[in-house]
Amino acid sequence: MRKSKPIVSILCAAALAVSALSACTSATSGNVQETSAQTESADSGKEGAEEKDEQTKKEEIQEEKGAENAGGSATDGGIGNKQPFTLTSREYVEAMGHGWNLGNSFDGVDTDESEEDKGETEWGNPTVTRELIHAIKEQGFNSIRIPMTMFKRYTEENGKAVVDEDWLARYKEVVDWAVEEGLYVMVNIHHDSWIWLKYWDGDKEAEEYVRFVQLWEQLADYFKDEPEQVCFETINEPDFEGESDEEKQEKLDAINLAAYDVIRASGGNNAERMIVIPTMNTNHEKCDPLLKLIQDLDDTHIIATVHYYGEWVFSANLGITGFDEAIDDDGKTARTAADSAMETVYKTFTQNDIGVVIGEYGVLGYDQGEKCNQPGEELKYYEYVNELARKYGLCLMFWDNGSGIDRVSGKYEWKKSQVGEMLWASMEGRSSYAAELDTLYFGEEAEEDVLVALTLNGNTFTEIEGLTEGEEYSYDESTATVTLSKDYINKMYAESSREGRFGELVFTFSSGADWTEKLVRFKTPEFKEASGTIEGLTIPADYHGADIRRISAFSGEEHTGPQSSWWKYLQNSEAFDVEDDALVLNNSFFNECAEGEIKLVIEFYDGQIKELWLTKDGDKVSVKAK
């Protein structure tokens, strides 16, 4: 993933962003056959192996590794030093548990070579601390991916790319902190994939190929004595310019094999170290060539990796704000897209005894801003993808570019507490939620009781915190429906003198995360006339409690603006931004919209629709409400 998330990493623009909290556990649920390794485990020094259930095996693996690695890395007496590595690919994935990415730190880089390199702070995150790594372990994560960009961190010396020793030493310091915490660690070459490697022409004498090999020779040697819990990922989100898909795949196979051969021949523990190999673009729809490559290698210490950010129009909020909202005429949703993606990697790799790590997952809206995605629908996505990981025996590693865990304050808490709570709960099992939106909108006092249907996911509803069942609400177990008394709603409504949120209801369940349902008072939003340039137009607004769901733009009868050749809505936080007192239309919108009169159709979550009329005349723009 790049600084935000490169267009190159949005793996399937119209169909799927495989391009960002979650669990990776053994496959102990669902009807899937052979969803975790069916191996026998022998007690050390004893004969007679006993068959153990999957959960017991998982706990033993994690306990053994935690004990072996507590207090030091291989370089100071850990489990390295050429000890045999015992875990197979699928067992390793199982032991990795729930994963987290240290994003936008060691991978951050300014591609302007005239600018001084600021290292791990280049993209705005603070220097990584030991306390942060400890906090990751305390948050329940069992593994960490530490992306590292090599560009600007090496010098050309007599035809060889020589990695800066201080840079490697600092990176290794953080790797070893993670090892000492008992975390599984993925060492990863990151943005070099799109900065320079993508331009490789296929000639193995070319500088890109030679440089890639030289970098891995140094990395493999530098980390060769790390313990089994450290694995190597060959390259992040590979892509290559031009040519056919077949020719691009040939380049990727060559790159992956080059890294593989270097690692295996580098001595120390690397002969058996786990190597993580990506598909093209880390796209789940491009799995078959990687399956063939791995099977041809006949090596049980290889893991396949893809990335999964969900269906793009949902994940990056191009107007599809609901996890179960139909995307096209065939009824496809972000949920069914996730079903298809996880089933694909399971059938391709896991059923063939190859472990799978979803090296990055999350929602792409965080690349634009922390308020891009609808909060409750984002939580549903995390909850369900975790369930699929359990079902199919996959490891998920949450991509955090600094928007997830707060690295600045030093407290290392989740910026959005509900996201952290959902991720934590999803490490163990399923959570419940409202079947519809997490917000109830009221333009006036309620005329009747309000129904909230629940999706229980195997749990039972217990209560609404602070409310009395039988008075403020009732619950129908047969339909899993909460009924909120109109008298209670109206009492709360009357006590609120202004538009906006006037209450929060916390629903609790027998297991999993709590669910918060917001009560919002609204009236018709107002927009004022404005003028400006195509560099950006700020339209003053008083939303009066209403929340924008999506915006579409028309020139005559045709859609206009970015993606309008194939899509009907504008991208939130890209084409436009919603501020507390304004709607901002960005340069990216005006650059791709028609001249003349443009109609904006603004839809709100409460059901209201508002039209604005723009005029674009060269670099001048203006707006008026109708």
Side-chain angles (χ1 to χ4, degrees):
M1 177 172 285
R2 67 176 179 182
K3 180 175 182 179
S4 288
K5 184 73 182 171
I7 294 301
V8 111
S9 72
I10 299 175
L11 300 180
C12 200
L16 182 67
V18 175
S19 63
L21 313 130
S22 126
C24 162
T25 61
S26 62
T28 57
S29 62
N31 297 319
V32 181
Q33 298 294 318
E34 302 178 352
T35 54
S36 61
Q38 304 297 319
T39 60
E40 291 184 342
S41 162
D43 293 330
S44 178
K46 295 182 181 180
E47 294 182 359
E50 295 181 0
E51 226 175 278
K52 297 179 175 64
D53 62 39
E54 298 300 325
Q55 183 61 31
T56 302
K57 288 197 297 180
K58 175 183 175 183
E59 291 172 355
E60 288 183 351
I61 289 169
Q62 293 176 341
E63 287 174 4
E64 288 173 9
K65 296 305 164 188
E68 288 169 340
N69 292 292
S73 69
T75 56
D76 60 8
I79 67 169
N81 305 319
K82 299 184 180 179
Q83 290 191 10
F85 287 7
T86 60
L87 298 180
T88 65
S89 174
R90 289 178 63 178
E91 291 170 336
Y92 197 97
V93 166
E94 183 179 351
M96 287 177 74
H98 318 280
W100 183 83
N101 275 268
L102 181 60
N104 287 21
S105 285
F106 288 98
D107 57 309
V109 66
D110 188 338
T111 56
D112 185 346
E113 295 189 73
S114 68
E115 294 294 327
E116 181 182 358
D117 182 26
K118 296 176 182 155
E120 65 198 89
T121 65
E122 185 70 59
W123 285 350
N125 281 318
T127 301
V128 178
T129 65
R130 191 178 198 126
E131 289 74 21
L132 170 62
I133 304 304
H134 177 71
I136 298 310
K137 180 68 174 180
E138 290 296 298
Q139 289 284 353
F141 293 105
N142 306 105
S143 56
I144 184 171
R145 182 172 180 255
I146 308 180
M148 172 174 57
T149 298
M150 305 299 288
F151 181 71
K152 293 179 77 169
R153 282 85 195 232
Y154 60 83
T155 56
E156 299 287 350
E157 301 178 15
N158 300 319
K160 181 176 181 179
V162 179
V163 183
D164 182 88
E165 291 186 4
D166 291 338
W167 173 258
L168 267 185
R170 167 60 181 155
Y171 180 82
K172 185 177 184 298
E173 179 179 43
V174 176
V175 168
D176 287 341
W177 288 344
V179 168
E180 290 163 12
E181 288 290 343
L183 292 165
Y184 281 75
V185 185
M186 192 182 298
V187 172
N188 162 269
I189 293 182
H190 210 71
H191 297 304
D192 302 271
S193 60
W194 61 268
I195 295 174
W196 55 268
L197 185 59
K198 72 174 294 182
Y199 303 109
W200 179 46
D201 62 6
D203 180 0
K204 292 186 179 180
E205 300 298 320
E207 63 177 349
E208 292 87 0
Y209 182 88
V210 172
R211 180 188 303 146
F212 181 76
V213 171
Q214 291 172 345
L215 293 176
W216 261 117
E217 286 174 343
Q218 293 166 81
L219 284 176
D221 181 68
Y222 202 79
F223 291 97
K224 65 184 179 183
D225 292 324
E226 291 289 334
E228 183 175 13
Q229 72 201 78
V230 175
C231 60
F232 295 155
E233 180 182 7
T234 58
I235 191 68
N236 173 69
E237 295 180 351
D239 186 29
F240 297 94
E241 276 204 327
E243 300 130 1
S244 66
D245 289 343
E246 290 75 16
E247 289 171 310
K248 291 180 181 180
Q249 186 62 51
E250 288 177 3
K251 291 181 181 180
L252 177 58
D253 288 347
I255 288 296
N256 281 331
L257 287 172
Y260 174 86
D261 289 340
V262 166
I263 293 165
R264 285 288 180 256
S266 58
N269 290 321
N270 289 344
E272 295 181 295
R273 186 174 307 285
M274 202 62 67
I275 300 175
V276 183
I277 302 180
T279 63
M280 182 67 73
N281 310 116
T282 49
N283 188 336
H284 75 273
E285 295 179 334
K286 301 180 180 181
C287 289
D288 290 340
L290 179 57
L291 173 65
K292 182 179 185 306
L293 183 145
I294 294 175
Q295 289 180 327
D296 288 347
L297 288 172
D298 191 25
D299 185 335
T300 60
H301 292 91
I302 298 178
I303 290 171
T305 187
V306 300
H307 294 174
Y308 189 70
Y309 285 93
E311 193 69 10
W312 185 38
V313 293
F314 165 75
S315 182
N317 192 349
L318 278 78
I320 299 299
T321 57
F323 187 52
D324 294 294
E325 181 179 356
I327 294 170
D328 47 34
D329 293 338
D330 66 4
K332 178 181 180 180
T333 67
R335 187 186 296 271
T336 62
D339 284 328
S340 176
M342 299 304 146
E343 183 180 26
T344 294
V345 294
Y346 166 76
K347 288 184 175 179
T348 305
F349 298 116
T350 314
Q351 282 191 328
N352 285 295
D353 289 325
I354 300 166
V356 179
V357 170
I358 312 298
E360 295 179 16
Y361 92 108
V363 289
L364 292 170
Y366 280 99
D367 287 341
Q368 307 301 331
E370 296 173 19
K371 297 181 180 180
C372 180
N373 301 97
Q374 207 288 329
E377 300 305 297
E378 179 184 346
L379 296 178
K380 293 176 185 179
Y381 163 79
Y382 298 143
E383 195 280 334
Y384 190 64
V385 175
N386 274 284
E387 168 61 12
L388 292 176
R390 281 189 294 274
K391 179 180 179 181
Y392 291 122
L394 313 175
C395 174
L396 296 174
M397 305 192 83
F398 175 64
W399 177 262
D400 190 342
N401 61 12
S403 298
I405 292 175
D406 179 7
R407 306 180 200 173
V408 176
S409 68
K411 296 181 179 179
Y412 305 119
E413 297 174 343
W414 288 93
K415 291 184 175 180
K416 295 181 179 179
S417 61
Q418 289 180 325
V419 167
E421 289 164 6
M422 180 60 77
L423 288 177
W424 181 277
S426 297
M427 294 176 183
E428 300 298 330
R430 301 213 65 178
S431 292
S432 307
Y433 41 76
E436 301 297 333
L437 207 60
D438 68 347
T439 307
L440 300 171
Y441 291 92
F442 298 90
E444 58 185 12
E445 290 189 348
E447 295 183 355
E448 55 188 22
D449 295 342
V450 177
L451 305 182
V452 180
L454 302 177
T455 299
L456 294 174
N457 294 325
N459 300 322
T460 57
F461 170 75
T462 55
E463 65 172 354
I464 300 177
E465 289 185 354
L467 272 62
T468 302
E469 185 172 4
E471 295 182 11
E472 287 97 347
Y473 75 95
S474 61
Y475 179 65
D476 185 338
E477 185 175 355
S478 65
T479 61
T481 301
V482 170
T483 299
L484 299 173
S485 163
K486 68 176 182 179
D487 292 337
Y488 166 73
I489 295 292
N490 290 339
K491 176 179 178 294
M492 295 285 289
Y493 183 90
E495 291 174 353
S496 173
S497 59
R498 300 182 60 184
E499 291 80 21
R501 189 176 302 181
F502 66 89
E504 287 189 354
L505 306 179
V506 179
F507 291 56
T508 65
F509 304 89
S510 57
S511 185
D514 296 340
W515 178 259
T516 300
E517 196 77 8
K518 278 83 72 177
L519 309 178
V520 171
R521 177 175 182 159
F522 74 93
K523 67 179 184 181
T524 304
E526 299 175 281
F527 295 90
K528 295 181 180 180
E529 295 186 357
S531 60
T533 72
I534 59 173
E535 294 304 310
L537 176 65
T538 298
I539 306 170
D542 190 337
Y543 292 106
H544 294 300
D547 293 316
I548 291 179
R549 178 183 180 187
R550 57 193 177 201
I551 300 176
S552 50
F554 295 86
S555 175
E557 299 297 321
E558 301 295 325
H559 287 282
T560 189
Q563 291 97 29
S564 59
S565 62
W566 63 271
W567 190 240
K568 52 194 173 183
Y569 301 118
L570 302 179
Q571 185 175 353
N572 191 320
S573 299
E574 174 65 26
F576 68 92
D577 286 289
V578 180
E579 298 182 352
D580 291 341
D581 57 358
L583 172 64
V584 179
L585 299 176
N586 297 322
N587 176 253
S588 59
F589 167 68
F590 289 115
N591 278 346
E592 298 189 47
C593 70
E595 289 280 322
E597 192 171 62
I598 301 165
K599 181 174 71 172
L600 291 184
V601 178
I602 306 172
E603 300 178 46
F604 295 84
Y605 283 107
D606 55 60
Q608 295 183 90
I609 297 177
K610 189 82 173 179
E611 292 184 356
L612 296 181
W613 292 86
L614 303 174
T615 300
K616 178 183 176 185
D617 182 9
D619 65 351
K620 307 290 186 184
V621 292
S622 59
V623 62
K624 61 180 179 178
K626 279 192 177 180

